[in-house]
Amino acid sequence: MNRQTVMEIDKDAFFKNIENIKKLSGNKELMYIMKANSYGTYLNKHIDIIKDFKIIGVAIVKEAIELRQIGFKNEIFVLNQPDVEDIPNIIKYNITVGVSDITFIKELIKYNKRVNVHLELETGMGRTGVLENDLIDVVELLQNKNICVNGAYTHLSCPDSDSTFTENQISVFKKEITILRQYFDLKYIHLEASNGLLNYNVDFCNLVRVGILLYGYKSSNDTLNKIVLNPVAKLKSKICFIKEVAEHFSVSYGKTYITDRITKIATVGIGYADGIRRSLSNKGEVIIKNKKCKIIGTVCMDSFMVDVTGVDALVGDDVYIWDNDIITVDEIALELGTINYEILSTISDRVERIIV
């Protein structure tokens, strides 16, 4: 693992974020959302960091299995409706799963094995979840000695932007929880994720699913007005080549950039196969010697070029794609018309993650 491109992960920042989230959530339990390799940080791969978490949330059964294989012994919850083909591994690895699909529930029952589930309710997300009109039918199906319904949950679709819609979702969920409590002893009731936590205090819920806030990044534009966050990740590469070229010199594939003066060009050893978007070609910036330097030419699979004219740059110098200060993940996301979640989670596994 001697590649010069790395993501630096600040463990202390991660735990500071947890402390601040706990202050905000009060006495509610935290579900640590570590799907997509902990939003691209790979903190889920460090058992020494996560071993004491009471419950971790993931997206798919494969992610849960990976946690078991590194030695995580506490509860793991799969947020998304699994496939029937996942059932043997759900049983083998003692995984709690979110359910809403009748076909899946029927197949789960056939295995005649004890399984913990949380029932997902559709309140307005329009994704998965049991519709209100189908609730009693599903409840009757779940009246089985091998199915332990120890939780119920839903997803808020716009808790940072539409209070009327969100309050209606909460109202529908509360009504359905009242029904479910007649049939099941619910250990966990949850609808708040990061934005839900920041904008609502739902008193009948006892668990919060915390994702992006764990890693120190904003879940909405006004996040930092409500909680102090410490970004955990910095993406860094190095200059691997420098040359000075004449005016009217073409740079990279497609001749999309032509120099208009004598130009000092640095090649940086990270590209779109690592997660650097090609749409940053000719408009993105990076940090070299604490200065912003422009990406010039088309981003290549394994590298891109930067104009370092006037910068005392040398081969081997650090190049920060983001450092959470001069350039942030949010600024890159804004430039690309996306969100910080996507930027973080799509940095590829070619990039080594190191704990600092």
Side-chain angles (χ1 to χ4, degrees):
M1 300 294 289
N2 58 358
R3 193 167 179 229
Q4 295 179 318
T5 295
V6 299
M7 184 183 285
E8 299 174 339
I9 306 300
D10 187 339
K11 179 177 68 173
D12 292 337
F14 180 65
F15 283 108
K16 287 177 183 176
N17 293 331
I18 291 174
E19 289 177 9
N20 292 336
I21 293 164
K22 284 181 176 178
K23 290 175 185 176
L24 196 63
S25 61
N27 60 358
K28 293 180 181 178
E29 191 71 51
L30 296 186
M31 179 188 290
Y32 299 85
I33 303 300
M34 311 200 85
K35 60 182 180 177
N37 281 316
S38 293
Y39 291 57
T41 66
Y42 284 33
L43 280 161
N44 58 306
K45 298 184 181 297
H46 294 270
I47 189 62
D48 58 316
I49 293 174
I50 67 172
K51 62 182 174 61
D52 295 325
F53 293 169
K54 189 172 181 180
I55 180 169
I56 288 177
V58 296
I60 58 177
V61 171
K62 181 177 183 292
E63 293 174 334
I65 293 171
E66 289 170 354
L67 285 171
R68 288 285 185 242
Q69 289 175 337
I70 68 166
F72 186 73
K73 300 184 184 304
N74 296 334
E75 187 168 2
I76 304 173
F77 176 65
V78 176
L79 286 154
N80 299 325
Q81 169 66 61
D83 188 90
V84 293
E85 294 180 358
D86 290 319
I87 293 175
N89 279 327
I90 290 167
I91 295 167
K92 177 180 178 181
Y93 291 98
N94 187 25
I95 299 166
T96 303
V97 292
V99 298
S100 57
D101 179 65
I102 289 177
T103 300
F104 177 86
I105 295 170
K106 288 179 177 178
E107 289 297 317
L108 195 61
I109 291 170
K110 289 179 182 178
Y111 277 78
N112 199 31
K113 298 289 186 180
R114 184 76 167 173
V115 180
N116 292 327
V117 305
H118 292 197
L119 182 60
E120 182 183 2
L121 305 175
E122 169 62 83
T123 60
M125 183 66 177
R127 194 167 59 185
T128 48
V130 176
L131 290 165
E132 188 173 2
N133 291 340
D134 298 326
L135 182 58
I136 296 303
D137 290 340
V138 174
V139 166
E140 290 177 354
L141 184 61
L142 289 168
Q143 300 292 300
N144 183 281
K145 63 182 177 64
N146 290 314
I147 305 299
C148 178
V149 181
N150 66 354
Y153 69 112
T154 194
H155 290 271
L156 299 177
S157 68
C158 45
D160 59 326
S161 60
D162 191 330
S163 60
T164 300
F165 189 83
T166 301
E167 286 164 6
N168 182 68
Q169 281 194 269
I170 294 170
S171 177
V172 171
F173 186 59
K174 184 175 184 179
K175 181 172 66 174
E176 294 179 337
I177 290 298
T178 300
I179 295 170
L180 290 177
R181 278 177 164 157
Q182 297 174 32
Y183 298 91
F184 307 114
D185 182 16
L186 300 175
K187 178 181 178 182
Y188 290 127
I189 300 170
H190 48 113
L191 58 67
E192 296 159 305
S194 291
N195 274 326
L197 171 64
L198 294 173
N199 295 289
Y200 295 88
N201 183 13
V202 184
D203 57 6
F204 65 90
C205 294
N206 62 358
L207 181 144
V208 179
R209 306 184 302 263
V210 187
I212 194 75
L213 298 184
L214 286 174
Y215 310 103
Y217 296 96
K218 299 191 300 183
S219 57
S220 61
N221 290 333
D222 64 347
T223 294
L224 298 183
N225 297 327
K226 301 172 181 177
I227 187 171
V228 175
L229 294 175
N230 304 275
V232 305
K234 296 180 180 181
L235 183 60
K236 182 180 76 172
S237 188
K238 289 185 181 291
I239 295 174
C240 59
F241 192 80
I242 290 178
K243 60 179 175 287
E244 188 172 90
V245 301
E247 184 182 6
H248 306 308
F249 197 92
S250 66
V251 179
S252 196
Y253 293 110
K255 296 172 60 179
T256 62
Y257 186 86
I258 307 295
T259 61
D260 59 5
R261 52 174 166 72
I262 295 174
T263 304
K264 184 180 179 182
I265 299 174
T267 300
V268 181
I270 181 173
Y272 62 75
D274 304 292
I276 303 300
R277 306 300 177 80
R278 289 184 77 250
S279 45
L280 287 172
S281 301
N282 293 310
K283 66 177 182 180
E285 294 179 310
V286 296
I287 306 155
I288 301 173
K289 296 288 182 68
N290 292 317
K291 297 178 181 179
K292 287 185 177 181
C293 298
K294 184 180 177 182
I295 296 173
I296 56 175
T298 302
V299 173
C300 307
M301 181 179 285
D302 312 302
S303 62
F304 60 78
M305 279 61 78
V306 178
D307 185 347
V308 291
T309 306
V311 179
D312 183 24
L314 300 170
V315 170
D317 281 347
D318 288 339
V319 179
Y320 279 95
I321 315 307
W322 72 76
D323 68 343
N324 304 311
D325 183 16
I326 299 173
I327 296 177
T328 68
V329 173
D330 296 288
E331 289 170 340
I332 296 171
L334 183 64
E335 179 72 41
L336 295 175
T338 185
I339 55 176
N340 51 15
Y341 297 73
E342 186 176 5
I343 301 300
L344 287 165
S345 64
T346 56
I347 301 302
S348 81
D349 59 7
R350 298 206 316 176
V351 177
E352 182 183 3
R353 275 68 167 178
I354 60 171
I355 304 293
V356 296

